[in-house]
Amino acid sequence: MKNRVLEMLQSAEGYISGEAISGKLGISRNAVWKHINKLRSEGYGIESVTNRGYRLNSSPDIISAEKIQENMNTEFIGRKIVYMEETDSTNNAAKAAADMPDGTLFISEIQTSGKGRLGRAWESPKGIGIWMSLLLKPEILPQDVAQITLVVGMAAAKGIGCGAKIKWPNDVVIGTKKVCGILTEMSAEIERVNYVVTGIGINVNTEAFDGELSEKATSLYIETGKKCERCGIIRAFLENFEALYKKFLRGGIAALAEDYRELCITIGKEVSVIYPNRTINGKAVDINNEGELIVETETGTVTVGSGEVSIRGIYGYV
């Protein structure tokens, strides 16, 4: 009933009286008042004026499956959405429900134990970011799953806009700071992938970051000075991902290599590739058809398939 009260406020041109709402919905004026107060507690700006009624002045940025899927142009990605108010990790939620359809999106307002690469913590507060995971069931070999992460990075950069680029392999940055992180996990047998879960965290309306994080992280709000509507960003990501993912499934990462190169800020930059027992310094010159980074060093060309890659000028690296 609360949602029906909201619908009447949204469709009204100006004020609508409590009497009109109660008559249309067949509920008491007191019940209308309770629903109005509940909507206010959820962040809706509702003005009330004696003898005129109620008027909706503003709406909170609330994530819902209906808002995401409104006019969404996808075939199977995001056609099933599992929304959670709170979870430890959307990746964990997706893995626990791996029997759900290919392309199911898991999304939560809060993650209590969000994580990034190498087990790093990822802060996931309520109402200001996008914390979501996609469940995928590709018919590819396990050794090719890492390439999906590159596809996700491309879709995220395109969906975010604002000049977002990719730091190889899949960090999404605006300028010199990270705006989106991606973590991909899988369940597989020797020659068969059971499922892939790829988690995406996007800093949307964060107003500031504390301490050292302020030198490495940014948000769409910080970059634009404007609050951004999250459901539109999610929809844009899903549409871009499906288009890119279909090309990937047909032709591998080689089919997307040119598009990836255009979005990748790593190519052409001086880099340090950090492994547990050594560091390689050189210049990133290209990616190959497997999505690996090609680095020219003083002793020759090195193909990098994994490892921490630092770029001069990015994340404070000098």
Side-chain angles (χ1 to χ4, degrees):
M1 189 60 68
K2 177 193 69 178
N3 289 337
R4 295 188 65 189
V5 171
L6 177 60
E7 288 170 3
M8 291 191 69
L9 289 168
Q10 290 171 329
S11 60
E13 296 182 2
Y15 292 92
I16 182 171
S17 69
E19 182 179 3
I21 297 173
S22 65
K24 178 74 172 179
L25 300 182
I27 59 177
S28 69
R29 293 278 298 276
N30 188 54
V32 171
W33 179 78
K34 288 182 178 178
H35 289 308
I36 292 289
N37 280 344
K38 178 62 175 173
L39 289 167
R40 283 172 171 158
S41 72
E42 293 176 358
Y44 289 92
I46 302 173
E47 179 185 1
S48 58
V49 176
T50 304
N51 297 326
R52 299 187 71 182
Y54 302 100
R55 182 175 68 177
L56 181 64
N57 291 331
S58 62
S59 300
D61 182 23
I62 292 175
I63 291 175
S64 72
E66 292 76 17
K67 286 179 70 176
I68 294 169
Q69 293 171 336
E70 184 178 345
N71 299 318
M72 186 173 74
N73 183 28
T74 65
E75 208 176 293
F76 68 101
I77 296 295
R79 283 298 156 191
K80 174 70 175 177
I81 296 178
V82 177
Y83 172 81
M84 300 161 285
E85 184 68 26
E86 181 176 314
T87 188
D88 60 344
S89 157
T90 55
N91 267 29
N92 287 345
K95 289 185 287 186
D99 58 339
M100 297 195 80
D102 186 17
T104 298
L105 180 71
F106 296 78
I107 190 161
S108 182
E109 275 289 0
I110 302 172
Q111 288 186 126
T112 57
S113 301
K115 59 182 179 179
R117 289 187 67 244
L118 306 178
R120 298 185 181 114
W122 181 277
E123 294 187 13
S124 313
K126 182 177 181 179
I128 59 174
I130 295 169
W131 328 122
M132 60 185 178
S133 297
L134 269 175
L135 174 66
L136 304 170
K137 300 181 179 181
E139 294 183 0
I140 61 175
L141 294 173
Q143 58 263 36
D144 294 332
V145 165
Q147 297 176 11
I148 291 178
T149 309
L150 277 66
V151 182
V152 177
M154 293 174 66
K158 289 174 177 286
I160 290 169
C162 295
K165 299 290 185 179
I166 301 168
K167 172 185 171 290
W168 185 90
N170 57 4
D171 279 357
V172 181
V173 300
I174 298 177
T176 63
K177 297 181 180 181
K178 185 173 178 178
V179 71
C180 169
I182 297 162
L183 176 66
T184 299
E185 302 176 278
M186 74 170 170
S187 168
E189 298 167 27
I190 294 176
E191 293 188 353
R192 178 177 179 270
V193 173
N194 297 320
Y195 64 82
V196 174
V197 170
T198 183
I200 304 100
I202 305 174
N203 299 325
V204 182
N205 290 321
T206 307
E207 295 184 0
F209 292 94
D210 296 329
E212 292 183 3
L213 202 56
S214 65
E215 299 177 3
K216 300 178 180 180
T218 190
S219 71
L220 296 182
Y221 176 79
I222 291 171
E223 296 298 326
T224 66
K226 299 176 182 178
K227 295 289 185 179
C228 300
E229 194 263 316
R230 292 178 294 163
C231 286
I233 296 169
I234 296 167
R235 186 186 311 114
F237 164 77
L238 295 172
E239 290 176 341
N240 277 289
F241 178 74
E242 182 171 282
L244 294 165
Y245 185 56
K246 285 180 176 179
K247 288 179 70 175
F248 167 76
L249 292 178
R250 290 194 298 267
I253 203 65
L256 299 171
E258 199 55 45
D259 290 334
Y260 186 87
R261 290 185 186 103
E262 290 180 7
L263 286 168
C264 184
I265 61 166
T266 309
I267 296 172
K269 300 286 178 51
E270 296 294 325
V271 300
S272 290
V273 184
I274 304 167
Y275 295 105
N277 58 351
R278 62 183 176 130
T279 297
I280 297 173
N281 296 311
K283 183 178 181 179
V285 294
D286 203 357
I287 64 161
N288 62 20
N289 287 340
E290 284 71 49
E292 297 168 318
L293 189 67
I294 308 301
V295 178
E296 284 186 354
T297 74
E298 292 181 350
T299 57
T301 300
V302 177
T303 301
V304 180
S306 63
E308 284 285 290
V309 176
S310 295
I311 307 173
R312 294 193 183 279
I314 304 292
Y315 305 167
Y317 171 60
V318 178

